[in-house]
Amino acid sequence: MKHTKGSIEVICGPMYCGKTEELIRRLFRAKLAKQNVQVFKPVIDDRYGGIFKISSHSGSEFEAIPVKTSDEIKAKIEPNTTVVGFDEVQFFDEGILDLATELADSGIRVIIAGLDLTFTGEPFGVMPQLMAVAEEVSKLSAICMVCGDLAYRSQRLVNGKPAHYNDPIIIVGASEMYEARCRNHHIVPKD
Ligand code: ADP
Ligand code: TMP
Ligand code: MG
């Protein structure tokens, strides 16, 4: 049951929208279809007690290989691999774009999950390019923690207050400092 056609699928949206759950769902289904699956993640994501797995906020998990750079991935792809998953792809360097394309061109199904927007509401890293070259993009929504509407943004909170626009883009974390918000309730002070 070998793939004949490679492709790129992107799963994006704010924090808590279910990107990792959806990635894991697709990976389990690929395994049911007897595909050889490998999953990679940036080593800086050490949430939920493990760098050797991807974990969702609701507790689902899948084994993963932590890497520092996109270059490291190529050497770790096994010859019989047919499906490659990436989680937290917004943290990867630009090399991930060529790598994803190369893998898809060689017949591999590439499934990518990542944040489309930073806490400031701006495109995150290489995500826009990946979304452009993908065959399929799924944009998921979370629930706004203020009003219950659909949320497409991630609110960073520092001591309970909205983080400043000039704060560092990358800070690994979960509910202690981030919540999902709709456009109306997403606040990014600039002064
Ligand atoms: P992501 O990888 O997009 O951050 P996960 O797949 O890890 O999301 O987790 C999604 C799960 O997070 C949901 O199924 C739900 O159980 C939980 N969750 C917590 N807060 C929210 C929220 N504000 N909106 C939707 N789901 C939430
Ligand atoms: P998640 O999408 O699986 O919930 O994980 C997103 C990770 O990205 C989490 O560790 C917090 C981090 N993050 C940043 O580093 N900068 C940001 O601007 C945002 C929104 C999240
Ligand atoms: Mg996730």
Side-chain angles (χ1 to χ4, degrees):
M1 280 200 261
K2 185 132 173 80
H3 279 295
T4 51
K5 274 197 283 181
S7 62
I8 301 176
E9 297 160 40
V10 171
I11 306 162
C12 67
M15 290 182 68
Y16 313 103
C17 71
K19 299 180 298 296
T20 303
E21 276 176 356
E22 177 60 18
L23 174 61
I24 290 172
R25 191 182 79 91
R26 293 186 196 184
L27 296 171
F28 272 122
R29 287 166 61 94
K31 282 188 87 168
L32 285 174
K34 306 269 188 289
Q35 299 303 304
N36 295 314
V37 177
Q38 279 189 283
V39 185
F40 297 91
K41 59 175 273 185
V43 71
I44 63 164
D45 176 32
D46 58 357
R47 297 174 306 167
Y48 304 117
I51 57 164
F52 294 101
K53 58 191 180 187
I54 57 172
S55 313
S56 76
H57 296 291
S58 53
S60 55
E61 295 179 348
F62 199 96
E63 191 188 327
I65 302 165
V67 289
K68 286 205 185 78
T69 64
S70 60
D71 273 350
E72 251 182 76
I73 299 171
K74 219 189 240 181
K76 292 186 172 158
I77 303 266
E78 286 160 16
N80 59 351
T81 292
T82 55
V83 177
V84 172
F86 296 109
D87 200 10
E88 305 290 353
V89 82
Q90 74 277 354
F91 292 148
F92 278 118
D93 55 273
E94 283 195 352
I96 198 76
L97 182 61
D98 282 348
L99 178 68
T101 300
E102 221 174 283
L103 292 174
D105 287 349
S106 74
I108 288 176
R109 177 182 176 199
V110 180
I111 316 174
I112 288 169
L115 290 170
D116 45 5
L117 300 175
T118 65
F119 76 99
T120 64
E122 292 163 317
F124 208 143
V126 81
M127 279 299 283
Q129 286 95 324
L130 286 167
M131 289 162 74
V133 299
E135 270 82 1
E136 188 197 299
V137 177
S138 308
K139 181 155 177 157
L140 309 181
S141 59
I143 299 297
C144 175
M145 295 304 276
V146 178
C147 70
D149 214 340
L150 297 184
Y152 290 93
R153 288 160 183 244
S154 309
Q155 178 71 52
R156 183 188 287 166
L157 298 164
V158 179
N159 299 323
K161 295 209 175 93
H164 192 269
Y165 180 80
N166 293 332
D167 282 5
I169 293 296
I170 296 181
I171 302 185
V172 170
S175 58
E176 73 290 353
M177 66 179 319
Y178 290 102
E179 61 185 37
R181 299 257 183 115
C182 68
R183 182 184 289 275
N184 282 349
H185 293 113
H186 184 245
I187 302 163
V188 189
K190 285 193 176 171
D191 305 322

